[in-house]
Amino acid sequence: MSKAIEGAAMLAGAVGMGAAAFFDPALVGSPYYDKLMASLAIGGISMEAGAIASALLSNRGQNITTRQPAAYRQIIRGTQRVGGVTVYQSTTGSSHDQYNFIIVLSGHEVDALENLYLDGRQVHWLGSGPGYSVRNGVGFGGVADNNTYTGPDGQHYNFGGTGHSGIYCEARWGDQADGDVISGMTANDPQWAAVGSRSPYLGGCCYIYLKIEYNPNVFPSAPEIRLTVRGKNNIFDPRTSTYAFTNNWALQVADVIADPTWGLGDATVYTDPGANAQLVAAANICDEQVTLAGGGTESRYCCDYVCDAGIGPGDVLDTMMPGAAGRLSRIGGGWYIWPAAWTAPSFTFDKSALTGPMTWTQNRSLRDLYNRVRGTYIAPNYPYNVAGNLYDSNGWYNGGLQNNFPFAFQPTNFPEYAEDVRHGFASDAWLEDDSGVEGAWSSATTYSVGDVVIYSGGIWKSLQASNTNQTPNAAGSTWWAAGAAYLPKELALRTTLSVSQAQRVAKITLLRNRQQGSGTFSMSLAAWQMQPCDVMSFSFPELNWTNKALEVVSTHFRVEAGASEGEAPAVRIDLGVQETDSSVYTWTPSTDELTPYDLPAGAGPSTSPRAPSDPTSLTVTGNAYVVSTDGVTVVPRLALSWGAPPDAITTQIQIQHAVHASGNWVDDGTVSVAQTAAYITNGIVAGTYYDVRIRSLRSTTGATGNWVEVDNTLAAAPNSLQSSYSINPQFPLTQPTATSIAVASTAATFGSTTVNYAARTLTIPTPSSPTWYYVTIADSAQQGESGSPTLAATASTSTSLVGVQGNTYLGAILALPGGSATQILAGGWPAPQTVQVQ
């Protein structure tokens, strides 16, 4: 399938621009054609198979107010919270304590200004007097009232005052006449007055005058300035033949195409009869009321978007399409707009309609397949509760909707959609299918190397042939906790303000992808009556198809020369088709819709986010000690291994341990969910029994799963090596013959631990003169021997082993040519001490 039909753009096309020119020759000579191609080139857009391919999405419009010498004008569609561009500012007043700002918000007329926020704190107006006005039912501006409100972090604030001693704001909405200036600004700063032919009225732009009195207790520094704006108010609705403000997705898309200033300037979306009829149908679909699980309804597809004039119209369309899982085609002379909705088959064909070979691909390649959809929408909510600063990291508290914090209208994760247990399914069948799962593990089945099964909620791969009745276990050698093949699709729904709308789009995006079959059919002219997004019923016995629903994604008209001279040419229609089903577009709020906490929306508001799935098959090994880099210290530790949690929302695994049955749990931190093994070292003492537990953690919300626990594991490790010790008897060495040194049974005490070394006889060459021999036993773990000698002992004329870590020094003896040594040196570590012969 063409890249242009991939993912968010989904702009199915009948023909490319070249083919469009073929069917509509007037297109090439039209100003629209040049403007379209120029705008697409500037925006980094190309047209392929009649569809706009993926575009650069770097421009988001002004999120905060800035000051720039030359800035693009902002375009606001629907409702958005935006900053602006400060085009003029000054300091006035007898004490220079009044700060004046002229801030441009958009390059067009707007419907209304809803709110002003300074450092995230909403300004509440007196509601009357100079500067205050009501536009389209929304009051804005004038003087801030004198009440106290709760703002970010639960801090109280008061912007009020009398007259102009506090906050003052006055607005122009973009319809002001030439020569109009804001008198409040002129009274403070005469430089803003109209002088002769010069008038700073900012024609066609929505802007505000804002005056802030100096008050370091309220504004320690220049405030962040943002406003909630109901934007463009001249969007045409062909159903009523009126121009007005709307956030209807289809009407917004049509406006981008038709607008001669900010769009493509092509009015055929309204004037072409077929395109206009489709636009009416699309607008009606968007206005359909969808029941919400928590009560009430909302429009099916809305569009609320801000960008600036530096972004090409093609890029704007590409950004808007995902908000309704929408598609767009240029057919004949008009633009056709389709929001996602089920279209029942309107044509019926069978194989007799085929005039040539057909191609059919049953499955997508793995790289094009996904089994869950996640992403972001623009959350208009705020995270603070007026009762006491209670919030979560997603910006939600108990369904609160008060928009008075600086990070509202920011990208926020919507609940991931998958056909899994939390959405009412018995299991995540697509995840299992993509992971190669053959079924649930059975003790009666013989598995081969590489077979994949489900066991205890985890996915396991067989590591051996003839694998029968071997329970999957991370501690064993017959199975490996393979983990699930999570294949996520990321959506950036930058025009969507509703978390439920985002989830509806996510479901449609996922289910369209799981309708994997696609192909190309060569058909007779009877198929020419179909256009992209039409659905036909097709019967083909060879593939066991009976009235299979196929959606048209592209059409191609071609003429073939006759097979022989004089034979008339043949006309062929090549259709690109994709299987589809009505289930793609069904929506059941009670199971499909989740709250931002990933809980069923029908359960009502909740502060408890959905718990992630638990890790599986925890095993704990107690003898996982390690010798430190000094070669002396033995560090006891516990080794943990587990199966990955069977979901995609877990981000970390939390680990704790306690002395067995004590209940005094010690936190050992977290590891990434990508890890399935860890060690516990902190506070572990050899010879002690421990309880260990782990659980899943979702760091974005703080939600945790259930503890998975393994109890009563013995921490086994050698004693830590000691740098000093004593031996008993102090002189365990004798020389019974000229060629031997006898070592008596010896006890060595290392710290509080005493070990034993067995008696043994070491052979030496007959000394020609009295010679010192130094005797050591190699005991790297300082564990001693039991019964018979098992450790290597050395009698050497060199002192190289004396004082070396891991060797127990027993002493030195002056061996004589005839035997019976007359002088010995005491044992112990460090170096030996000289003693007198008795």
Side-chain angles (χ1 to χ4, degrees), residues 127 173 178 198 255 445 460 502 524 562 726 728 777 810 812 821 838:
W173 291 272
D178 187 1
R198 294 186 295 107
D255 185 71
T445 302
W460 299 82
S524 65
S726 61
N728 182 34
I777 293 181
L810 298 183
Q838 299 297 317

Side-chain angles (χ1 to χ4, degrees), residues 349 353-355 521-525 527 530 536 538 572-573 575:
F349 293 101
L354 298 176
T355 60
F521 293 2
S522 294
M523 300 184 68
S524 65
L525 280 179
M530 291 189 294
M536 65 174 171
F538 200 90
R572 299 283 185 265
I573 306 299
L575 295 182

